[in-house]
Amino acid sequence: SSSSVAADVHDQKSTICLDEYIHWFNRLTSFVATETLKHTQRRLRVRMLNYFIETAEHCRQLNNFNSMSAIIG
């Protein structure tokens, strides 16, 4: 029936959106880890961690919990 076809299309679109979200989340988490760990000096790693902690706090203040969670891993 047409309603089951519409529901199937909706489910496929939801799955695609969820897959894209998961991909974005993983990319952001990987970016934070890479940017932090690429520095060999502890002082620079600490500076990067502080930057990302502040960025995560900004995300929380904006109620952007998805980005905050991706940043803090």
Side-chain angles (χ1 to χ4, degrees):
S1 74
S2 64
S3 63
S4 67
V5 171
D8 188 43
V9 169
H10 177 72
D11 289 345
Q12 287 177 347
K13 184 176 180 181
S14 294
T15 301
I16 291 170
C17 291
L18 183 58
D19 288 344
E20 288 298 317
Y21 168 74
I22 292 169
H23 179 69
W24 173 86
F25 185 96
N26 289 338
R27 283 181 53 204
L28 181 54
T29 301
S30 178
F31 172 76
V32 170
T34 300
E35 289 301 307
T36 302
L37 296 175
K38 76 179 184 181
H39 297 288
T40 56
Q41 295 178 354
R42 184 182 339 175
R43 174 180 58 82
L44 296 175
R45 287 194 305 267
V46 168
R47 185 181 298 169
M48 289 304 300
L49 284 173
N50 286 332
Y51 171 78
F52 285 121
I53 290 169
E54 289 175 14
T55 302
E57 175 58 22
H58 258 319
C59 291
R60 188 193 66 77
Q61 290 171 357
L62 295 170
N63 294 327
N64 186 345
F65 301 111
N66 295 329
S67 294
M68 181 195 73
S69 296
I71 291 169
I72 62 174

